[in-house]
Amino acid sequence: MQEKPRTRKGRRPTMVDVAREAGVALRTVSRVVNDDATVGAELVERVRSAIAALDYRPDERARHLRLGVTGTLGAAVRQLSHVNPVLRAVERAARAAGLMVLAASTEDDEKIERHVVESMCRRRFDGILLEPIGADHGYLVPELAAGLSLVAVDRPVLGLEVDCVLSDNVAGIETAFAHLVAHGHRRIAYIGDDERIYTAQERATAFRACLRAQGGAADAMIHTGPIQRERIHHALESALSGPDPATAVITGNATLSVETVRWFRDHADDVAIVGFDDSELATLLRPDLTVVAQDDAAIGDTAITMLRTRIADPATPVRKVTVPVTLQARGSGETPPKRT
Amino acid sequence: MQEKPRTRKGRRPTMVDVAREAGVALRTVSRVVNDDATVGAELVERVRSAIAALDYRPDERARHLRLGVTGTLGAAVRQLSHVNPVLRAVERAARAAGLMVLAASTEDDEKIERHVVESMCRRRFDGILLEPIGADHGYLVPELAAGLSLVAVDRPVLGLEVDCVLSDNVAGIETAFAHLVAHGHRRIAYIGDDERIYTAQERATAFRACLRAQGGAADAMIHTGPIQRERIHHALESALSGPDPATAVITGNATLSVETVRWFRDHADDVAIVGFDDSELATLLRPDLTVVAQDDAAIGDTAITMLRTRIADPATPVRKVTVPVTLQARGSGETPPKRT
DNA sequence: CGGTATCGGGATAACGTTATCTCAATCGGC
DNA sequence: GCCGATTGAGATAACGTTATCCCGATACCG
């Protein structure tokens, strides 16, 4: 017993099937689907029930092809599997604008990033939000020339003039530094990520400027490099030993905060610490971790707004927006220096 | 000065433009793009350079429409912004299969889930991987009837017979319980999530069975409910006080582990704890957190394999796969009961 | 009552691909 | 040197939408 004999077997019903079922012209079905007011009430009803009877679902591929617009934004981020609070704000903002965000991760790998972005381009997404890796982005040039709307988040796209929204890393480091100084610290160490990473470089540079402003040169106070447990623990050891040990530490990102706390757990308990990036575990430690937190919601909102602006008018001048960060004092950064 | 006069202004170049530029037929361009071997070397070269000159990029919308297949899988997960390790494995497995995964979050909201899934259906994704919420999924029935390939992850789809891959929650609880018993504990409490959530219900039920098997009825030992700090802390208080306080606690998911540890930090330090779900912070605590960890990679691989199988043959019988979990003993679950 | 707005709705042509069919040209075998 | 097989490449028709025209019917105005 065929339940729906009017649809060609094995295929999803199309507008043609609906039109045949309702006994109207193809164009009329389209009008009904798109709420065109010029269709009489009776025909609307006939079409509606034909749609229901056949379980017709419009095919967005054809729609997008015809319209030239997909109503879709792509988000190419470093990690979907990791904490990515900005993406949440991005999805919210896009949903509010009637757009769909489809995300894929680049795993911080040049090949994968390129593959993901190019796939999104070939799918003719209206715009792409990219958390770029540090490498060369020459492959973007023809895409941009062809009209791709793109906004970079968290890091700029190296060597290319594109919209981007960044956290105020410099102010964040300055705030953290000043906070520790205000609590009596004079010898402050910095544990940072590999300086080939843009944000790491920016934060490390800001820290160097703080040291210089304070008068001390003390390059022994700054330790940047790849995120490897041994490297980090060794850096902490050298920063906290010697004739002039640090009494406070600033960590350059959430992972470094974790590793630092892990090391402190077993080797020190009287060193102040201010971390960059907030995270769930910040309030798990004893004392709670004082952090410089970025404003995820503001970043997400700004990114979507910029992207929509550029889509609406590709000739918009390139803008670079810096979003303020805030210090969350929770205890770990408010202890006085230990007596030497 | 027009740089590319051969393309109609304002439009991206199409195969027609490339064909004109190269002086060949449209079909020949298609053949070159798809590496059809039946094109002579010289023409291939002409077409290739025309493609380069015009920066031609194929339009996947048209391709997908014509082919009837999109090479795209959708992932509708509860949270993109939260730790979602399974998604990583999913992306890996899909990439290895030449498929693209595009993810969107449902925020555990019925409306949003439906919107996301239906959008993916209208875009004719080849298959959808869904982390379903607990509510009714009637809206899926017509989609499934129309040939949607769907695999549920972590939770089954209520009231519908669809493929799903779940963690072995029962074995996980049993393992945790046995582990604590082996270390001398007799009074073990359970702090769980709202039992309207499938996994929470399954874990709580398994725990009740453990209690029963042990001989004790002790409903005072099991505390489930929504994830609210006060509720959890209150539950812990009542479990650890009274004439017969618990000497060990099993927590039902990562968030509950965090809250429990947070409470222990200030109120108790000699209670054993085994958490469900592994997470980065498990090795941050003192002692390190013993957990029942699910096998993210196995879940992701299995889900993609099942989805591809179903796409290849929609008539495949529905399968429900349970992936084993493993106990990661790290210290917090190996302490003996405190002297009473 | 004739002519022209007005409105509802149908035919048909895109959108940018790929697949089918056809045909011209080349090659080998006897 | 002729014929069938093979190869290379073009014309044309889909795929499922929406947009542009156009036409027939009703309503309205002079």
Side-chain angles (χ1 to χ4, degrees):
Chain A
M1 185 178 88
Q2 287 284 86
E3 210 188 65
K4 277 149 198 161
R6 302 157 193 102
T7 307
R8 279 162 305 172
K9 205 175 136 188
R11 272 202 158 68
R12 297 182 92 120
T14 74
M15 280 193 168
V16 177
D17 300 312
V18 175
R20 197 184 318 124
E21 169 84 8
V24 299
L26 171 59
R27 184 66 181 92
T28 304
V29 178
S30 171
R31 279 192 257 256
V32 171
V33 169
N34 295 310
D35 292 320
D36 190 318
T38 70
V39 184
E42 186 217 354
L43 277 198
V44 169
E45 192 40 51
R46 280 227 317 266
V47 172
R48 286 261 155 77
S49 60
I51 287 176
L54 266 57
D55 270 334
Y56 164 75
R57 306 294 150 117
D59 186 330
E60 293 282 336
R61 294 173 298 188
R63 189 148 189 283
H64 294 336
L65 175 61
R66 179 64 235 240
L67 255 45
V69 160
T70 58
T72 311
L73 301 182
V77 298
R78 297 202 291 273
Q79 288 268 13
L80 283 178
S81 49
H82 208 282
V83 180
N84 198 329
V86 170
L87 200 45
R88 176 175 207 168
V90 164
E91 282 194 295
R92 290 244 172 92
R95 195 162 39 232
L99 295 164
M100 178 166 202
V101 171
L102 291 170
S105 77
T106 64
E107 305 216 359
D108 253 332
D109 178 311
E110 189 172 354
K111 287 260 182 54
I112 300 181
E113 177 190 301
R114 179 168 181 166
H115 177 75
V116 164
V117 171
E118 288 184 341
S119 294
M120 289 174 170
C121 285
R122 282 197 306 272
R123 284 175 169 77
R124 298 291 190 268
F125 283 6
D126 293 345
I128 293 180
L129 197 140
L130 174 65
E131 208 176 25
I133 63 166
D136 178 62
H137 282 81
Y139 75 91
L140 281 178
V141 175
E143 304 291 354
L144 293 167
L148 166 64
S149 296
L150 183 122
V151 169
V153 174
D154 196 46
R155 311 169 177 179
V157 175
L158 261 53
L160 249 46
E161 275 298 305
V162 299
D163 288 332
C164 65
V165 38
L166 310 170
S167 278
D168 195 342
N169 292 307
V170 174
I173 289 292
E174 288 171 355
T175 306
F177 197 91
H179 186 73
L180 289 168
V181 167
H183 282 85
H185 295 274
R186 291 298 171 266
R187 294 191 307 281
I188 304 168
Y190 179 77
I191 310 291
D193 201 351
D194 193 327
E195 288 192 55
R196 281 175 303 184
I197 296 169
Y198 176 82
T199 50
Q201 187 265 322
E202 210 174 37
R203 292 171 190 180
T205 303
F207 184 82
R208 283 199 189 87
C210 287
L211 278 186
R212 226 176 293 122
Q214 200 204 21
D219 266 358
M221 281 301 172
I222 178 156
H223 299 85
T224 60
I227 298 203
Q228 293 155 358
R229 191 167 296 185
E230 298 74 36
R231 205 272 301 170
I232 297 163
H233 289 185
H234 186 266
L236 285 165
E237 238 164 88
S238 83
L240 299 179
S241 61
D244 252 6
T247 61
V249 171
I250 296 176
T251 48
N253 69 28
T255 311
L256 290 161
S257 304
V258 168
E259 281 307 326
T260 300
V261 168
R262 197 193 305 277
W263 190 82
F264 280 6
R265 196 180 67 166
D266 300 325
H267 301 87
D269 60 356
D270 49 4
V271 177
I273 170 171
V274 175
F276 216 110
D277 298 340
D278 204 356
S279 85
E280 193 184 341
L281 51 87
T283 56
L284 246 193
L285 309 169
R286 187 203 300 266
D288 288 344
L289 191 63
T290 293
V291 297
V292 174
Q294 57 179 21
D295 188 343
D296 301 314
I299 294 174
D301 288 349
T302 308
I304 290 295
T305 304
M306 287 173 76
L307 195 46
R308 292 181 63 203
T309 306
R310 179 151 303 283
I311 291 168
D313 177 14
T316 309
V318 169
R319 286 168 305 171
K320 301 190 179 292
V321 175
T322 303
V323 177
V325 296
T326 53
L327 184 93
Q328 308 280 348
R330 298 211 180 99
S332 76
E334 291 74 46
T335 55
K338 67 175 171 185
R339 64 266 167 269
T340 26
Chain B
M1 187 175 87
Q2 285 285 85
E3 209 186 66
K4 276 146 197 161
R6 301 153 192 105
T7 306
R8 277 162 306 172
K9 205 175 134 187
R11 271 202 159 67
R12 297 181 92 118
T14 76
M15 281 194 169
V16 177
D17 300 312
V18 175
R20 196 183 319 122
E21 170 84 8
V24 300
L26 170 60
R27 183 67 182 93
T28 303
V29 178
S30 171
R31 275 191 262 256
V32 171
V33 169
N34 294 310
D35 292 320
D36 189 319
T38 70
V39 184
E42 187 218 353
L43 277 198
V44 169
E45 192 39 52
R46 279 225 318 265
V47 171
R48 285 260 156 78
S49 60
I51 287 177
L54 268 61
D55 271 334
Y56 164 74
R57 305 295 149 114
D59 186 330
E60 293 283 335
R61 294 173 298 189
R63 192 153 186 279
H64 295 336
L65 176 61
R66 178 64 235 237
L67 256 42
V69 160
T70 57
T72 311
L73 301 181
V77 298
R78 297 202 292 272
Q79 288 267 14
L80 284 178
S81 49
H82 208 281
V83 180
N84 198 330
V86 171
L87 201 45
R88 175 174 208 167
V90 163
E91 283 194 293
R92 289 245 171 91
R95 194 160 42 230
L99 295 163
M100 177 164 202
V101 171
L102 290 171
S105 78
T106 65
E107 305 217 357
D108 254 330
D109 178 310
E110 189 172 354
K111 288 260 181 56
I112 301 180
E113 177 190 303
R114 180 169 182 167
H115 177 75
V116 164
V117 171
E118 288 184 340
S119 293
M120 289 174 169
C121 286
R122 281 198 307 270
R123 284 174 168 78
R124 297 293 189 267
F125 283 8
D126 293 345
I128 293 179
L129 197 140
L130 174 65
E131 207 176 25
I133 64 166
D136 178 62
H137 282 81
Y139 74 91
L140 281 178
V141 175
E143 304 291 354
L144 292 167
L148 166 65
S149 295
L150 183 123
V151 168
V153 175
D154 196 45
R155 312 169 176 179
V157 174
L158 259 53
L160 249 46
E161 276 297 304
V162 300
D163 289 333
C164 64
V165 38
L166 310 170
S167 277
D168 195 342
N169 292 309
V170 175
I173 290 291
E174 288 170 356
T175 306
F177 198 91
H179 186 72
L180 289 169
V181 167
H183 282 84
H185 294 274
R186 292 298 171 269
R187 295 191 306 281
I188 303 168
Y190 179 77
I191 310 292
D193 200 352
D194 193 328
E195 288 192 55
R196 281 174 303 184
I197 297 169
Y198 177 81
T199 49
Q201 188 266 321
E202 210 175 36
R203 292 171 190 181
T205 303
F207 184 82
R208 284 199 188 86
C210 287
L211 278 186
R212 226 175 294 119
Q214 199 204 22
D219 267 358
M221 283 300 173
I222 178 158
H223 299 85
T224 59
I227 298 203
Q228 293 155 359
R229 190 167 296 186
E230 299 74 36
R231 205 268 308 167
I232 297 163
H233 290 185
H234 186 265
L236 285 164
E237 240 164 86
S238 83
L240 299 179
S241 61
D244 252 6
T247 62
V249 171
I250 296 176
T251 49
N253 69 28
T255 311
L256 290 161
S257 303
V258 168
E259 281 307 324
T260 300
V261 168
R262 197 194 305 276
W263 190 82
F264 279 7
R265 196 181 66 167
D266 300 324
H267 301 86
D269 59 358
D270 48 5
V271 178
I273 170 169
V274 176
F276 216 110
D277 299 340
D278 204 356
S279 84
E280 191 184 342
L281 52 86
T283 57
L284 245 193
L285 309 169
R286 186 203 302 263
D288 288 343
L289 190 64
T290 294
V291 297
V292 174
Q294 56 178 21
D295 189 342
D296 301 314
I299 295 174
D301 288 349
T302 308
I304 290 295
T305 304
M306 287 173 76
L307 195 46
R308 293 182 62 202
T309 307
R310 178 151 305 281
I311 291 168
D313 178 13
T316 309
V318 169
R319 286 168 305 170
K320 301 191 181 289
V321 174
T322 303
V323 176
V325 296
T326 53
L327 184 93
Q328 308 280 346
R330 298 209 179 99
S332 77
E334 291 73 46
T335 54
K338 65 175 172 185
R339 65 265 169 269
T340 27

